[in-house]
Amino acid sequence: MGKLKYIPQSQESECGLCCASMILNSFGCKVLPKDIKEYEDIGRDGLSLQKVGDILSSYNLNVDFYEVGINRLDEILKNPIILYWNNNHFVVLSKIKNNNYYIIDPALGKVKLTKYEFSEKYSNFALTSTPNENFSKVKPKEKHNNWKLYIDYFLENKKRFILLFSISLIFSLSVLLIPSFIGSFTNYYEKNQTISNEYILSLLLIVPLLLALYYSRVSFMLQTVKIMDLNHYHKIVKKLFSVPFQFFLTRSSSLILFRLGLLRSNRELIFDTIFKGILDSIVTIVLLIAVLINDFISFVFLATISLIFGLVLAVLRKDIVLKNKLELNEYTRLQALEYETFSSIFSIKANSQEEYMGDLLMDTNKEALVAYVNRSKVNNVYSTIIYFLNTFGPMVLLVMTVLFSKNENINIGLLIFIFSLSGVYFQNFSSLFNTFNTLGTLKNNLLRINDILDQKDEDEYVGQKEIQLIETIEFENVYFSFPGQKNYVLEDISFKIYGGEKIGFAGATGSGKSTILGLVLGMYKPTKGKIYINNQDIHEVDINEYKKKIGFVPQEPFVYNKSIKDNILMNREINDKQLIEALKVANLIEDISRMPLGIETVISESGTNISGGQKQRIIIARAIVDNPDLLILDEATSSLDNQTELSINKELQNLTQTQIIVAHRLSSIKKCDKIIFLDSGIINDIGSYDYLKQSNPKFAEFSSQEG
């Protein structure tokens, strides 16, 4: 059995998958979470312990499940075991020694716990595994490089970085001029009791030179940071728009926003710490050599002090990295809750839930603050050591040099030179450890950013066949379940829609109507069964071109903080005649005429300066303005009054394109050519409104409930 390798999770739902991957790797099966088939099927709820066991079994491991207390764990700990943790998480237990429990947490890394700390989290369920006779080792598919984003950028901009590095290195090494100048000046004055004009001239040259170097460095670095930020933001946003919609089913909006924020944090970490750390390491070596050349005793003491404090700081670093991860996890939770709270502030205030949500935010913030304080306590010890080094290190070195120096001719100038040089040395030496600590934070951030960049593009899942005109849409025995869910939300769905038809979907809430629309739009992939567009499998169709031929009005219309016109056109080339016609169909002309700026009126964030009905009608105009082949309406008129709804429905009926309509108000679909009546994810019946009401008791009951 090999060494147990830490495999970090990029989101909370991956903990079980990461634990399975760690176990497999320890037995020589080098697979990462993304290599395991179930990777794409994990929902936001993650995996059960049973499912984790199924994954290990599929790789020919014999697994056993135990409900076992803490005192009997050592009886089953032959190999690392997976534990159910805190009733919502999984970790791997690697060993128990001297009443200490050594776990590997996918969220935190390797952690040593006392028996009491362990008992507080352990949920009394364990999974053991051993390879069977059919088990075979697997070589890694590819070595994953967490730093690829920055390495690629560096390679693409080598000249710029080499120039920046050269300017920065020259500036960093120029600090040697100051101690050299002070030492030489002191010696000269001690001997001659006067000031030479050469020193005044040198000073007049050194100061402008250093200022010019410093300004050139920071200006060039600012430009480099700007270019890098534009490049990386463009790459991330482009990737987010190119990944399949399934990616967003397993990650919350707040989580994605947090990761975009990490990209900006990394910008500061890369240049303020990592880049500076590389320079400081070079300068540190140069300073050591300079001290060695001038005084060997000083060099010995300087190296000894560095070694002692270096070991202490290295021990602290492990705890700092762990505490940083804990803090990051807690503030991720807090930010997600803040986003959810203030995105739904209207509902919270309308339902008098301010106190409840306020208390929830305060409690979550307290937990995040505890993590911050714990991290800060370790950092305080670290910063105290750094303070001691920077403040007293040069003094200690100076005293030790004088006490132990055998060089009777040691002069004041040399002592001042060593004192000044060691001051610069200890600052650079301390900076190196800041760099090492930052590397841990940066790696944690990159893990979450790479979770976006490592996703396959939607193009890799779709075909290349272009659809000129949407003539037919057919579902053949389609089943669908959401990622990580066992139960189907749609079962054995079969129907065919022809060009020009108006098809209505009816059924109770949760019957699968909106899910069918997601499948028609190509947003979801069928779990089983086939979907055909013009008798071609939807997987063979160029889905992006196909979606451009569809106008879609979602259940929850979203408008942007732009003008009404921009919200309708969405950067499409539409002539004024088409725009006016769309405004007429959406019954918007009168509303817009009453606004001072008319169609150029800017909609506020989330559309708070317009009514829900106006927002919905703007989305209807957006959907129909370019005359799409297929119009999909998902509760498109739910926010409208009866008169406005009747007016819009009448206009929509006159449109010639194929229409798929979902509505709770059956009045919106009464005139459809066919109504597909759904019941708990299954098609109950298909027919006209009159036919269903007369011949289907269940539909008749459903329609009567509408009143």
Side-chain angles (χ1 to χ4, degrees), residues 255-284:
L255 186 67
I256 293 169
L257 289 175
F258 185 71
R259 291 177 181 183
L260 286 172
L262 291 179
L263 191 67
R264 300 182 188 101
S265 300
N266 283 3
R267 162 181 78 195
E268 310 297 332
L269 295 176
I270 283 285
F271 284 97
D272 290 350
T273 310
I274 305 299
F275 190 76
K276 184 176 180 297
I278 295 170
L279 292 169
D280 288 343
S281 63
I282 296 171
V283 174
T284 300

Side-chain angles (χ1 to χ4, degrees), residues 502 585 631 633 648-655 659:
K502 293 176 174 58
V585 172
L631 185 59
L633 307 167
I648 290 176
N649 284 340
K650 184 178 178 181
E651 293 288 349
L652 292 173
Q653 281 290 327
N654 294 330
L655 299 178
Q659 293 181 32

Side-chain angles (χ1 to χ4, degrees), residues 449-602:
I449 293 169
N450 286 335
D451 177 55
I452 298 173
L453 292 173
D454 290 343
Q455 298 299 317
K456 293 180 180 178
D457 288 348
E458 192 170 37
D459 293 341
E460 297 182 43
Y461 293 94
V462 300
Q464 301 299 318
K465 292 183 179 178
E466 288 193 17
I467 297 293
Q468 299 301 322
L469 178 70
I470 301 175
E471 297 172 347
T472 60
I473 299 169
E474 182 178 4
F475 277 46
E476 183 179 270
N477 309 119
V478 170
Y479 290 73
F480 180 77
S481 61
F482 285 101
Q485 302 295 321
K486 292 181 180 179
N487 299 326
Y488 291 115
V489 294
L490 293 175
E491 295 184 54
D492 199 23
I493 301 295
S494 296
F495 61 82
K496 191 167 186 176
I497 299 172
Y498 293 91
E501 281 190 316
K502 293 176 174 58
I503 305 297
F505 281 89
T509 301
S511 59
K513 304 183 296 295
S514 294
T515 305
I516 287 178
L517 298 188
L519 288 162
V520 171
L521 284 162
M523 303 293 282
Y524 306 145
K525 296 185 294 182
T527 307
K528 289 197 301 186
K530 298 284 186 180
I531 298 176
Y532 298 100
I533 309 298
N534 295 357
N535 299 318
Q536 296 182 72
D537 192 317
I538 195 169
H539 296 307
E540 299 174 1
V541 171
D542 185 334
I543 204 73
N544 293 317
E545 289 301 315
Y546 163 68
K547 283 191 286 189
K548 288 178 183 178
K549 301 181 185 302
I550 300 173
F552 176 50
V553 180
Q555 250 184 59
E556 298 178 5
F558 187 81
V559 290
Y560 302 92
N561 184 205
K562 292 184 175 295
S563 70
I564 292 174
K565 184 177 181 179
D566 288 339
N567 266 277
I568 294 172
L569 298 184
M570 297 296 287
N571 207 33
R572 292 172 291 185
E573 293 294 331
I574 305 293
N575 61 48
D576 289 343
K577 183 180 178 181
Q578 285 176 279
L579 177 59
I580 292 170
E581 185 60 32
L583 293 173
K584 180 184 173 185
V585 172
N587 202 13
L588 271 171
I589 290 179
E590 187 176 337
D591 290 70
I592 289 173
S593 66
R594 290 198 296 264
M595 298 177 182
L597 297 179
I599 200 168
E600 297 297 340
T601 298
V602 175

Side-chain angles (χ1 to χ4, degrees), residues 358-426:
D359 289 344
L360 192 59
L361 278 170
M362 290 302 296
D363 289 343
T364 308
N365 183 57
K366 284 177 184 176
E367 292 173 8
L369 276 173
V370 168
Y372 161 75
V373 169
N374 290 337
R375 191 263 304 164
S376 296
K377 285 179 179 177
V378 182
N379 273 356
N380 287 345
V381 175
Y382 172 84
S383 59
T384 302
I385 295 171
I386 295 298
Y387 171 77
F388 176 83
L389 272 176
N390 291 339
T391 306
F392 300 104
M395 294 168 57
V396 171
L397 181 65
L398 182 65
V399 172
M400 300 302 285
T401 300
V402 172
L403 288 175
F404 290 89
S405 179
K406 295 178 182 179
N407 183 359
E408 296 178 357
N409 296 320
I410 190 168
N411 55 59
I412 299 299
L414 178 61
L415 289 175
I416 292 176
F417 171 75
I418 291 172
F419 180 79
S420 303
L421 208 64
S422 62
V424 178
Y425 171 85
F426 282 119

